[in-house]
């Protein structure tokens, strides 16, 4: 294990950011810390980096107890959401910063910086100031700067959060490819479940200062540990006392299936290739999604009597009886 | 405001221009005019007078010392106020404006009460140790520093607040010590704030009169500064000499500000 977090707690005044959190992050993998804003994931990342001090607990990095070490001695590379570019230094000097601090020979610095600039495709921008780069380019520069000192672990705090949707998508694909090339243990924080599912080898779901579940994207998606994880990873609907994903709800015409729940189609909405069918079962409004082809084959419309049931083998989670508020996975991150 | 077109905008400009001309530009111009009324004779007379030359030298030395003190402590206090949360922080912040709001003459009297050689609270002890503060150069430096204290801080604090702490944290995670972070990241980021603060402090220090008048003792050829020379000459009906000295003082101050506004980049890279 590359990063061992054991029993870490952190408070800011009355606010409990983390409570007795223990996580093991494997070497050489790309791990996502996923959760809603204010859930404590950024705090955990900053504690691993040494930018924040935990009230209790220990942090180990590559077998070394780092709990009391200052950030500069931890051997971590850190990438900030808002780039933290050194505004008065050129792109080249930004990337060279860590090497200059370490007083490496000039020739070595030049060679290494050239390599890194090529890696992040910024060779032609070496002599520009950060203000002359786009957001995506600045973030790639920040990444090269963090990689320059050959960190044991690379930590990224919402690295694509300040970028527009298109650049964000490009950059996360690029991060995945970069990681396959460089293989440094990488942890990134995100509140975007799609980003985590697409990029990460391993996902740690954090909410309310606690770890909800740790697993691969498949494990999380196919067997969510609780209703929070299920809700956070995508849209859900309720059928009886179970939470289920709308595309795992099967709709059939007629009410003769004894294992299914009978109801009437209350609403039909088409969004591109996807059709959302809302079925009223009397006490519940169940949402089913299907492709347009499936919908046409089914041949239902508002008012049709249908029966709905969960597709066999689909992941379901019992609804928590106290009716805790539904938390959507689409919250806007507020820093 | 200011974005309107037509007569209102021109009227606003005319009012502002007239206000500045009547209050600043014209009076200063008249000082210059009086200085050169007899050609260069007045200026030459001033520079050749050993007492005046001494006063000018003393003023420059005092101004430089107090600017150095105010720059070092000003940057330190600014970092303290912006980067740390501690009890009494707001009180400290408010206290820093006292030198601007209290009359310099009160500052002078207060310093005499503390450092006065005979009856001061702290003065006799220092005098026994061989350091005379009041009626000597240290007192003048102290008074000048006190009066110009907030200028660097008020220029640096907003810049520090704006740049935030992320660049510093990034430097630390890249292996920089606190000293390296300050030198390589913080200082370049605040350098224009510091420069402007230094210039304002220098201009203010060169021109300080009230506080210096009380603590210096105004001894001719020893503790008489340039501003005191202006007053002395003016009261002794040597108006030409007074205007010439005043002109020199104003010239240095204006030159400082002009130089900075020329070298300051039009658009700071952000």
């Amino acid at each position: 294990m590359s990063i061992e977090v054991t029993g870490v707690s952190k408070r800011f005044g009355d606010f409990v950011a983390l409570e007795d959190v223990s996580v093991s992050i494997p070497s050489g993998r790309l791990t996502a810390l996923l959760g809603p804003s204010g859930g404590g994931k950024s705090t955990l990342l900053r504690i691993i980096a040494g930018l924040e001090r935990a009230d209790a607990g220990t942090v180990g990095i590559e077998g070394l107890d780092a709990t009391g070490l200052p950030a500069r001695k931890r051997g971590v590379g850190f990438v900030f959401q808002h780039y933290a570019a050194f505004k008065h230094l050129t792109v080249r000097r930004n990337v060279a910063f860590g090497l200059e601090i370490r007083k490496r020979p000039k020739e070595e610095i030049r060679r290494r910086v050239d390599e890194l600039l090529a890696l992040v495709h910024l060779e032609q921008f070496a002599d520009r100031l950060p203000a002359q780069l786009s957001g995506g380019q600045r973030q790639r520069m920040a990444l090269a700067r963090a990689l320059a000192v050959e960190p044991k672990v690379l930590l990224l705090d919402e690295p694509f959060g300040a970028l527009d949707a298109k650049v964000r998508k490009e950059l996360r694909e690029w991060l995945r490819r970069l990681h396959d090339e460089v293989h440094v243990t990488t942890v990134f924080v995100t509140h975007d479940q799609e980003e985590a599912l697409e990029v990460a080898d391993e996902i740690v779901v954090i909410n309310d200062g606690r770890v909800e579940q740790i697993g691969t994207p498949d494990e999380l998606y196919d067997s969510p540990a609780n209703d929070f994880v299920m809700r956070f990873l995508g849209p859900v609907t309720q059928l009886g006392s179970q939470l289920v994903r709308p595309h795992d709800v099967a709709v059939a015409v007629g009410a003769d299936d004894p294992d299914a729940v009978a109801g009437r189609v209350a609403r039909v909405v088409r969004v591109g290739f996807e059709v959302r069918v809302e079925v009223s079962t009397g006490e519940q409004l169940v949402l089913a999604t299907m492709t347009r082809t499936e919908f046409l084959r089914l041949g239902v419309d508002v008012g049709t009597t249908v029966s709905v049931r969960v597709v066999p083998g689909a992941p379901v989670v019992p609804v928590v009886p106290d009716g805790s508020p539904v938390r959507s996975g689409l919250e806007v991150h507020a820093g | 405001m200011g974005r309107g077109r037509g007569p209102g905008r021109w009227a606003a400009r005319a009012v502002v221009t007239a206000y500045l001309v009547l209050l600043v530009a014209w009076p200063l111009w008249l000082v210059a005019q009086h200085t050169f009324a007899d050609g260069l004779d007045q200026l030459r007379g001033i520079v050749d007078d050993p007492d005046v030359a001494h006063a000018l030298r003393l003023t420059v030395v005092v101004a430089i010392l107090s600017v150095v003190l105010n720059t070092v402590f000003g940057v330190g206090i600014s970092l303290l106020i912006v980067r740390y949360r501690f009890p009494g922080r707001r009180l400290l912040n408010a206290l820093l404006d006292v030198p601007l709001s209290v009359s310099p003459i009160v500052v002078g009297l207060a310093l005499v009460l503390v450092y006065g050689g005979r009856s001061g609270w702290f003065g006799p002890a220092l005098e026994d140790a061989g350091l005379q503060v009041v009626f000597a150069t240290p007192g003048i430096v102290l008074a000048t520093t006190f009066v110009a204290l907030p200028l660097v801080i008020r220029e640096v604090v907003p810049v520090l607040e704006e740049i935030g702490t992320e660049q510093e944290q990034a430097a630390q995670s890249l292996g920089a010590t606190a000293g390296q972070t300050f030198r390589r990241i913080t200082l370049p980021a605040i350098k224009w704030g510091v420069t402007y603060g230094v210039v304002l402090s220098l201009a203010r220090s060169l021109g300080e009169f009230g506080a210096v008048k009380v603590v210096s003792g105004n001894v001719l050829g020893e503790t008489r500064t340039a501003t005191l020379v202006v007053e002395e000459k003016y009261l002794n009906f040597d108006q030409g000499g007074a205007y010439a000295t005043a002109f020199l003082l104003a010239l240095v101050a204006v030159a400082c500000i002009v130089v900075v506004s020329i070298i300051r980049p039009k658009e700071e890279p952000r």
Side-chain angles (χ1 to χ4, degrees), chain B:
Chain B
M1 296 287 282
R3 249 176 252 152
R5 310 225 161 249
R9 189 183 178 193
W10 291 106
R13 283 188 184 180
V15 168
V16 170
T17 310
Y19 181 75
L20 285 177
V21 165
L22 284 174
L23 216 61
V24 181
W26 194 27
L28 276 179
W29 168 247
L30 286 181
V31 169
Q33 213 180 19
H34 275 85
T35 304
F36 295 107
D38 313 323
L40 288 173
D41 288 355
Q42 293 292 359
L43 268 184
R44 206 170 289 137
I46 288 292
V47 177
D48 288 344
D49 180 342
D51 290 334
V52 176
H54 179 270
L56 287 171
R57 222 177 299 125
L58 178 64
T59 294
V60 169
V61 167
V62 165
I64 288 173
L65 282 175
S66 85
V67 164
V68 168
L69 282 173
N70 273 333
T71 305
V72 172
F73 285 100
V75 172
I77 292 172
S78 302
L79 283 170
L80 190 69
I81 288 177
V82 177
R83 295 283 187 259
Y84 299 91
R85 295 288 171 270
F86 53 90
R89 180 174 155 272
R90 291 176 61 138
L91 183 71
L92 176 67
N93 210 350
L95 265 179
L96 289 173
D97 281 334
V98 166
L100 280 185
S101 48
V102 170
S103 165
I105 204 137
V106 176
V107 173
L109 288 172
L111 287 176
V112 170
L113 282 181
V114 176
Y115 297 101
R118 266 181 229 140
S119 55
W121 177 80
F122 195 42
L126 284 177
E127 204 129 296
D128 290 344
L131 181 67
Q132 193 192 350
V133 177
V134 169
F135 306 137
T137 310
I140 305 175
V141 175
L142 220 53
T144 310
T145 308
F146 188 122
V147 168
L149 177 84
L151 297 172
V152 169
I153 298 170
R154 292 293 167 234
E155 289 291 324
V156 171
V157 161
V159 186
L160 272 178
E161 272 166 356
E162 196 199 306
I163 61 170
T165 54
E166 279 202 345
Q167 290 186 53
E168 292 166 12
Q169 290 179 350
Q172 278 162 20
S173 81
L174 290 168
T177 61
Q180 286 169 322
T181 305
F182 177 74
R183 227 176 24 254
R184 289 169 174 259
I185 303 301
T186 314
L187 205 52
I190 62 173
K191 73 175 173 201
W192 285 111
V194 175
T195 308
Y196 224 67
V198 164
V199 168
L200 289 178
S201 304
L202 186 61
R204 183 79 182 82
S205 304
L206 287 171
E208 177 47 31
F209 173 73
V212 168
K213 168 132 186 159
V214 176
V215 298
S216 73
N218 199 2
V219 182
L220 179 67
E222 280 180 40
T223 60
R224 180 173 296 174
T225 63
T227 47
L228 298 178
V229 166
V230 176
E231 189 211 20
E232 200 68 27
K233 290 205 179 290
Y234 186 76
L235 293 179
N236 290 335
F237 305 104
D238 178 6
Q239 298 211 341
Y243 284 125
T245 315
F247 174 77
L248 280 181
L249 280 173
L251 188 68
V252 177
V254 170
C256 285
I257 289 171
V258 168
V259 165
V260 161
S261 50
I262 288 172
I263 59 173
R264 185 176 204 163
K266 291 231 161 45
E267 224 171 318
E268 288 176 42
R270 297 211 177 278

Side-chain angles (χ1 to χ4, degrees), chain A residues 2 26-30 179 183-186 201:
Chain A
S2 176
S27 284
R29 307 284 287 280
L30 185 52
H179 183 264
H183 289 303
V184 59
T185 306
T186 305
D201 298 317

Side-chain angles (χ1 to χ4, degrees), chain A residues 36-54:
Chain A
S37 334
K41 54 197 192 312
S42 281
T43 306
L44 179 60
L45 195 76
R46 293 173 62 82
I47 286 174
I48 295 172
L51 297 175
E52 210 86 66
R53 199 161 278 268

Side-chain angles (χ1 to χ4, degrees), chain A residues 188-238:
Chain A
F188 74 102
V189 159
T190 180
H191 61 271
D192 179 347
Q193 79 284 357
E194 199 186 310
E195 193 167 290
L197 291 171
E198 185 182 322
V199 176
D201 298 317
E202 183 106 352
I203 299 176
V204 180
V205 182
I206 295 180
N207 177 46
D208 270 350
R210 284 171 292 113
V211 173
E212 301 275 359
Q213 190 174 3
I214 304 177
T216 64
D218 286 348
E219 283 166 6
L220 257 62
Y221 202 80
D222 293 340
S223 37
N226 53 39
D227 70 320
F228 174 81
V229 175
M230 180 121 176
R231 287 180 203 277
F232 200 76
L233 289 183
V236 290
T237 189
Q238 196 175 337

Side-chain angles (χ1 to χ4, degrees), chain A residues 44-118:
Chain A
L44 179 60
L45 195 76
R46 293 173 62 82
I47 286 174
I48 295 172
L51 297 175
E52 210 86 66
R53 199 161 278 268
D55 299 335
T58 60
V59 176
I61 297 174
E62 296 280 3
L64 191 79
D65 180 15
T67 314
L69 283 183
R72 68 189 166 88
K73 289 187 177 164
R74 293 201 180 193
V76 300
F78 202 93
V79 173
F80 296 80
Q81 180 178 3
H82 298 287
Y83 328 124
F86 301 144
K87 289 171 183 158
H88 62 290
L89 299 178
T90 60
V91 171
R92 171 176 290 282
R93 291 286 309 281
N94 260 277
V95 176
F97 187 87
L99 299 169
E100 287 178 3
I101 289 287
R102 284 168 178 70
K103 303 212 161 45
R104 296 283 173 75
K106 279 219 166 57
E107 183 52 30
E108 183 196 327
I109 293 179
R110 200 190 52 78
R111 193 161 30 79
R112 179 101 184 98
V113 171
D114 283 341
E115 272 172 34
L116 284 159
L117 288 177

Side-chain angles (χ1 to χ4, degrees), chain A residues 238-315:
Chain A
Q238 196 175 337
L239 178 55
S241 61
Q242 289 181 313
L243 274 186
V244 61
R245 298 207 171 89
H247 61 256
D248 287 334
V249 174
V251 181
V253 178
D256 17 286
D257 187 342
D259 297 333
V261 182
R264 295 169 83 81
V265 174
R267 211 159 87 96
V268 175
V269 181
R270 185 189 162 192
V271 184
F273 69 89
E274 184 189 85
V275 180
R276 297 176 189 162
V277 179
E278 284 178 20
V279 177
S280 168
T281 64
E283 70 260 28
Q284 277 178 330
L285 205 55
V286 182
L287 176 66
T289 57
M290 56 194 78
T291 63
R292 181 148 172 83
T293 321
E294 286 167 340
F295 175 74
L296 290 175
R297 196 184 303 141
L298 192 62
V300 296
D301 207 341
V302 175
T304 312
T305 302
V306 293
S307 55
V308 289
R309 65 192 181 90
V310 178
V311 172

